[in-house]
Amino acid sequence: MVKGVINGIPVEVKAGTTILEAAKQVQINIPTLCKHPDLISSAACGLCVVKIKKLNRMLRACTTPLEEGMDVQTHDPEIVETRRTVLELILSNHPNDCLTCGRNNNCELQKLVADFGIREESFEKFVKEIPADDSTGTIVLEPQKCIKCGRCVEVCQDIQNVWALSFLERGVHTRISPAGDIKLAESPCVQCGQCSAHCPTGAIFEKDDTAKVWRAIQDPEKYCVVQIAPAVRVAIGEAFGFPLGTNLTRKLYALLRRLGFEAVFDTNFGADVTIMEEASEFVERFVHKKGTLPLITTCCPSWVDFMEKFHPDMIDHFSSCKSPHEIVGALAKTYFAKEKKIDPSKMVMVSIMPCTSKKYEITRTGEMFASGFQDVDIAITTRELARMIKQAGLDFSHLPEENPDHLLGDYTGAGVIFGATGGVMEAAIRTAYFLITEQKLPKVEFENVRGLKGVKETSVSVDGQEVRIAVAHGLANVEFVLDKIREAKRKKEPVPYHFVEVMACPGGCVGGGGQPYGVTDELRTARARGIYGDDEGSALRCSHENPYVQKLYNEFLGKPLGKKSHHLLHTAYKSRPIYKR
Amino acid sequence: MDAAQLEKDVSEIAGDWKNKEGNLIMILHRIQSKYGYVPREVSLEISKHLDIPLARIYEVITFYNYFKLEPPGKCTISVCMGTACYLKGAPTLLNELERVLGITEGQTTKDGMFRVEVVRCLGCCGLAPVLTVDGKIYQGVKKNEIGEIISKYAAEENGGNGGHKEKP
Ligand code: SF4
Ligand code: SF4
Ligand code: SF4
Ligand code: FES
């Protein structure tokens, strides 16, 4: 522990704690711009400067550790003036497009400039012309608005190990770009959107598809249906002042009806179906030795894309099962349409997702058209939904609670935990256990696969056999797991795992690239708490117990992995070579 | 470019430097001396060979003005954009060059004849606006003189019409 003084208040912290963190302990917020709690600071902006009294110097609080005996001043007129100058310098290279910017009212730079009351631009303006890049259809880059904080580059390179983004050139010419000024769509980008979730400004944001949704809702010819992903319900409240992690599932159902959707489904139902298929697949491979082990989950399209680009040798390991929202899409336009006598060609399926990559997934391969139509027509993110709610003038907080539409709406606790890292694994084990032993699990919770550790390795005993498990989130963490599998294969040793879950985003979908801004581990944990709370509160906690899932198989699909399931609920993968990272 | 030859070049050059500090910069330096610029195919090959992400290689290439991403061109035309030149019409000259040659700043004409660059102050503000062709200074240049200058070099170099864009 080291002791110091901040603004005259004594403070004691663990050695190595930055002045920024130490100040928080004594209720002082030092303003920051380039620093993000998930990331090592690039110390690029200089906004967080503080005075160290004896040294008579200004240092950056985000990177300077508090040292024994240090006497720090965080705020005085001179420091505030310095910070104002830093902001004014940033503005001299920034277009003033706030009113038409994707981050208007939600921008870290805008907020700081407002807080510091900057009323005029005192430096000569130089804003380099750099065209926007919307080549991916999911993520839009507007490098003109970039303040060169380095967060996106660090996320993309270090957390995701994709290396799609980098800084090119230097000085006023510095810009974010894929290697050598190619389009993002030609780069290895897997469209996870983590860059957009970490960018403090409007330089990277999700492609806005809300206009398409409004148009579909208004079209009298169309029958518009909607589904919400597990992670959306515990995050959307942040945009409306609810406490962190509040589960708003049933208010959301009411809200979506009022927005004009004719039927409201839940992706969690699709998750229950995914589990029926995926657990059956696991049993095939594990018990009946048909197929490659470990089985690797494929609910995350960014992970699928990452694997297809960089690890195509792993394709055999992949579950062929589609992700939950694609399953709901395919079933809506076949099963639901048939039961309710609706013309599927008139149906528009909208998915509300925590994820930018789902925008890509909906046309990923031919199998995404299994119903004979595009199974999911539009995917929008949580952030886009928040804007729609505001545009519609709905008083979210006071809406009543409603239920989803049957057939594709009711879910079990296993379906909802898909939204957090480890959840797919936990849900699958609950059902696989039943399929193998035909018995009820004594305890459905598997604490070892929960939480934010990058790679979680554990094992569970099923029918006297050990099932070895790995759960990874944040794509850089996957490499460790894959290397271990490859190594064992090379040495012809027993596989290190039987079942592997991967989610591209840190924390899983609760930390998705399309979720409300400001993600930190604290927030990921709060959102996950909301999800696990929903599971605990559910009467049914295993997918195979869902009466609507049973009805679906009895009346429509037949058996898991059967012919019809295969046609509607499964997909295939292929190598998509791209330049090496 | 011949892929096999390229691989051979890269592995030779990279081999010399593989385990040395600062190797990437030295390898890029050697590549540029050999080819006159750093072609994308070469960067891709270096990335594979040394297991360095392509993004990192481009960060280094674009950080230093020295490295070129385009073939150099037989004649390099540098337009000064220092304050004096800027005010006296350098942007117009640049536009005219780009129009006549059908390329933009930083590029080389298809036939490899001309390359256009923008430079910071050349230090002879009294002569503004200034441009240089292979180091030779042209002072007080006017827009309508651009065509003439280009034709002169094109004729000198190969007796043809050089980098002139074919008129449709
Ligand atoms: S990034 Fe922020 S400050 Fe810049 S234009 Fe957008 S809202 Fe305004
Ligand atoms: S979306 Fe993901 S992979 Fe693509 S640039 Fe952003 S962080 Fe990198
Ligand atoms: S794009 Fe955003 S996150 Fe990336 S460096 Fe620029 S301001 Fe920072
Ligand atoms: S926040 Fe500390 S230097 Fe930017």
Side-chain angles (χ1 to χ4, degrees):
Chain A
M1 300 297 271
V2 294
K3 284 189 197 140
V5 178
I6 301 183
N7 297 358
I9 309 166
V11 55
E12 187 172 355
V13 293
K14 266 221 284 284
T17 308
T18 60
I19 296 173
L20 180 68
E21 289 306 315
K24 282 191 189 140
Q25 285 194 18
V26 286
Q27 300 81 43
I28 299 162
N29 288 325
I30 299 170
T32 54
L33 187 51
C34 66
K35 167 78 181 138
H36 188 284
D38 281 353
L39 307 168
I40 301 163
S41 177
S42 62
C45 76
L47 194 71
C48 63
V49 287
V50 295
K51 278 185 190 162
I52 314 293
K53 277 199 189 138
K54 280 215 190 75
L55 291 179
N56 219 352
R57 277 174 64 193
M58 289 209 198
L59 291 176
R60 295 175 189 217
C62 68
T63 46
T64 313
L66 189 78
E67 281 168 25
E68 186 65 38
M70 237 184 204
D71 189 350
V72 182
Q73 186 68 34
T74 68
H75 290 75
D76 71 15
E78 198 187 355
I79 299 172
V80 172
E81 199 44 44
T82 309
R83 291 186 184 138
R84 288 177 60 92
T85 307
V86 165
L87 288 170
E88 285 174 30
L89 283 168
I90 291 173
L91 286 189
S92 74
N93 301 130
H94 197 82
N96 295 350
D97 290 344
C98 294
L99 290 184
T100 50
C101 177
R103 288 298 287 271
N104 191 15
N105 254 340
N106 220 331
C107 167
E108 293 179 40
L109 175 62
Q110 194 187 44
K111 179 173 183 305
L112 284 163
V113 170
D115 288 352
F116 278 82
I118 292 171
R119 294 287 175 269
E120 59 186 352
E121 302 199 26
S122 25
F123 296 100
E124 196 191 332
K125 197 119 180 145
F126 174 77
V127 184
K128 200 177 152 83
E129 284 281 340
I130 315 175
D133 176 355
D134 60 0
S135 58
T136 59
T138 53
I139 309 284
V140 183
L141 301 183
E142 271 194 39
Q144 253 198 343
K145 292 182 185 155
C146 172
I147 57 160
K148 288 106 188 171
C149 69
R151 291 186 193 176
C152 59
V153 173
E154 204 176 315
V155 165
C156 189
Q157 298 186 352
D158 298 347
I159 309 273
Q160 299 300 59
N161 198 21
V162 173
W163 294 80
L165 289 178
S166 52
F167 277 127
L168 297 184
E169 299 207 34
R170 60 176 157 169
V172 286
H173 297 285
T174 311
R175 62 187 185 281
I176 44 150
S177 164
D181 281 322
I182 52 171
K183 292 268 181 238
L184 195 60
E186 297 153 12
S187 83
C189 172
V190 298
Q191 317 192 32
C192 66
Q194 283 302 316
C195 50
S196 74
H198 284 83
C199 179
T201 73
I204 310 183
F205 54 92
E206 71 285 350
K207 160 135 185 301
D208 189 305
D209 287 315
T210 54
K212 277 195 221 160
V213 179
W214 285 126
R215 231 178 290 130
I217 290 176
Q218 261 159 22
D219 188 339
E221 287 287 296
K222 300 281 192 230
Y223 186 87
C224 236
V225 299
V226 67
Q227 56 174 317
I228 44 166
V232 174
R233 67 204 66 213
V234 291
I236 185 84
E238 289 160 28
F240 298 89
F242 287 89
L244 300 185
T246 309
N247 176 9
L248 293 163
T249 307
R250 296 180 60 221
K251 271 191 195 299
L252 271 172
Y253 296 150
L255 179 126
L256 293 167
R257 286 206 180 91
R258 294 204 185 182
L259 281 181
F261 289 103
E262 316 227 17
V264 177
F265 303 136
D266 202 313
T267 310
N268 294 359
F269 172 84
D272 277 336
V273 179
T274 298
I275 288 302
M276 293 303 289
E277 298 291 324
E278 197 157 315
S280 305
E281 223 179 341
F282 179 70
V283 173
E284 279 294 291
R285 298 193 191 193
F286 183 72
V287 181
H288 307 296
K289 314 281 180 238
K290 283 190 219 144
T292 318
L293 283 172
L295 176 68
I296 305 183
T297 64
T298 50
C299 300
C300 169
S302 288
W303 157 232
V304 167
D305 198 34
F306 187 81
M307 180 277 299
E308 292 187 323
K309 281 176 176 154
F310 302 117
H311 304 290
D313 59 317
M314 290 283 156
I315 286 178
D316 277 356
H317 293 270
F318 262 50
S319 162
S320 62
C321 196
K322 284 184 189 170
S323 73
H325 87 120
E326 283 295 336
I327 286 185
V328 173
L331 292 174
K333 294 193 181 182
T334 52
Y335 174 58
F336 179 84
K338 195 169 136 215
E339 295 277 320
K340 302 281 167 179
K341 307 204 169 33
I342 295 159
D343 177 358
S345 73
K346 300 248 154 66
M347 207 186 248
V348 176
M349 167 57 86
V350 178
S351 293
I352 298 171
M353 300 281 123
C355 176
T356 46
S357 185
K358 297 279 170 187
K359 290 177 189 282
Y360 151 75
E361 187 187 28
I362 58 177
T363 55
R364 194 184 72 87
T365 59
E367 292 97 40
M368 306 302 138
F369 300 76
S371 63
F373 310 93
Q374 187 173 325
D375 299 336
V376 174
D377 297 276
I378 310 166
I380 60 168
T381 59
T382 314
R383 296 198 291 263
E384 289 164 272
L385 175 66
R387 291 200 290 274
M388 289 186 71
I389 299 172
K390 289 175 183 170
Q391 286 161 31
L394 290 172
D395 178 3
F396 197 5
S397 330
H398 297 102
L399 279 180
E401 306 214 315
E402 289 180 10
N403 288 318
D405 284 270
H406 292 316
L407 294 190
L408 306 175
D410 305 78
Y411 64 92
T412 70
V416 72
I417 58 176
F418 262 60
T421 164
V424 179
M425 177 61 72
E426 185 168 339
I429 295 288
R430 290 180 191 177
T431 287
Y433 183 92
F434 172 79
L435 293 178
I436 295 172
T437 65
E438 295 188 352
Q439 275 164 23
K440 234 179 136 71
L441 262 175
K443 181 176 184 294
V444 294
E445 293 91 359
F446 292 91
E447 305 287 349
N448 287 347
V449 297
R450 300 185 181 183
L452 290 179
K453 195 165 159 238
V455 179
K456 292 166 276 187
E457 298 174 290
T458 182
S459 66
V460 293
S461 161
V462 180
D463 209 13
Q465 286 204 66
E466 186 195 34
V467 179
R468 291 190 292 276
I469 287 170
V471 173
H473 56 117
L475 287 170
N477 290 321
V478 185
E479 312 281 357
F480 168 83
V481 173
L482 297 184
D483 285 345
K484 228 164 135 172
I485 298 170
R486 282 199 193 98
E487 175 80 358
K489 277 191 189 174
R490 201 172 49 79
K491 294 191 181 150
K492 304 213 171 1
E493 284 172 355
V495 287
Y497 318 107
H498 301 109
F499 206 169
V500 175
E501 179 204 288
V502 180
M503 293 290 161
C505 292
C509 304
V510 288
Q515 293 276 60
Y517 292 113
V519 75
T520 57
D521 275 352
E522 191 193 344
L523 196 51
R524 293 183 182 96
T525 308
R527 290 173 185 166
R529 213 183 301 124
I531 280 196
Y532 287 114
D534 197 2
D535 172 33
E536 264 159 49
S538 304
L540 302 174
R541 306 194 49 194
C542 301
S543 302
H544 56 275
E545 295 167 353
N546 185 335
Y548 286 91
V549 168
Q550 292 165 355
K551 184 175 154 71
L552 168 73
Y553 280 99
N554 290 338
E555 295 176 10
F556 184 70
L557 284 177
K559 275 212 304 271
L561 307 184
K563 196 154 172 252
K564 207 160 191 175
S565 299
H566 213 90
H567 170 62
L568 289 175
L569 312 181
H570 289 257
T571 180
Y573 311 98
K574 64 168 191 222
S575 165
R576 297 178 199 264
I578 183 109
Y579 63 80
K580 195 184 169 315
R581 290 162 292 181
Chain B
M1 205 172 297
D2 176 7
Q5 180 61 37
L6 193 148
E7 209 183 313
K8 194 166 151 271
D9 287 353
V10 170
S11 86
E12 251 171 43
I13 293 176
D16 287 353
W17 288 93
K18 199 156 187 170
N19 298 314
K20 294 186 189 128
E21 192 77 25
N23 55 8
L24 181 57
I25 290 181
M26 291 318 295
I27 290 166
L28 291 171
H29 181 77
R30 291 273 298 274
I31 296 285
Q32 177 147 315
S33 316
K34 187 170 168 87
Y35 297 93
Y37 70 115
V38 187
R40 188 167 179 90
E41 299 90 321
V42 172
S43 295
L44 286 163
E45 194 57 40
I46 298 175
S47 164
K48 270 197 260 167
H49 207 85
L50 294 186
D51 201 16
I52 297 175
L54 191 69
R56 175 71 72 235
I57 295 175
Y58 272 92
E59 280 171 2
V60 172
I61 295 176
T62 60
F63 190 83
Y64 299 100
N65 275 332
Y66 166 80
F67 292 118
K68 306 274 176 269
L69 288 167
E70 293 270 340
K74 292 204 184 87
C75 297
T76 302
I77 307 175
S78 311
V79 183
C80 177
M81 283 283 174
T83 313
C85 289
Y86 187 91
L87 292 176
K88 290 212 159 171
T92 321
L93 297 184
L94 180 62
N95 283 343
E96 181 65 4
L97 273 169
E98 292 178 340
R99 192 187 65 80
V100 173
L101 296 174
I103 53 172
T104 58
E105 172 222 331
Q107 291 182 333
T108 302
T109 51
K110 274 234 168 56
D111 60 3
M113 193 66 204
F114 292 101
R115 177 184 164 79
V116 175
E117 280 180 356
V118 163
V119 289
R120 302 293 142 217
C121 189
L122 285 169
C124 41
C125 306
L127 310 177
V130 169
L131 59 78
T132 66
V133 184
D134 285 347
K136 179 173 165 27
I137 293 182
Y138 288 80
Q139 51 171 297
V141 184
K142 295 190 189 62
K143 182 179 160 189
N144 58 15
E145 292 166 10
I146 292 285
E148 207 179 298
I149 296 174
I150 289 173
S151 313
K152 175 169 168 281
Y153 281 87
E156 258 176 37
E157 287 286 340
N158 60 6
N161 78 338
H164 272 275
K165 213 163 85 176
E166 295 294 335
K167 297 242 163 58

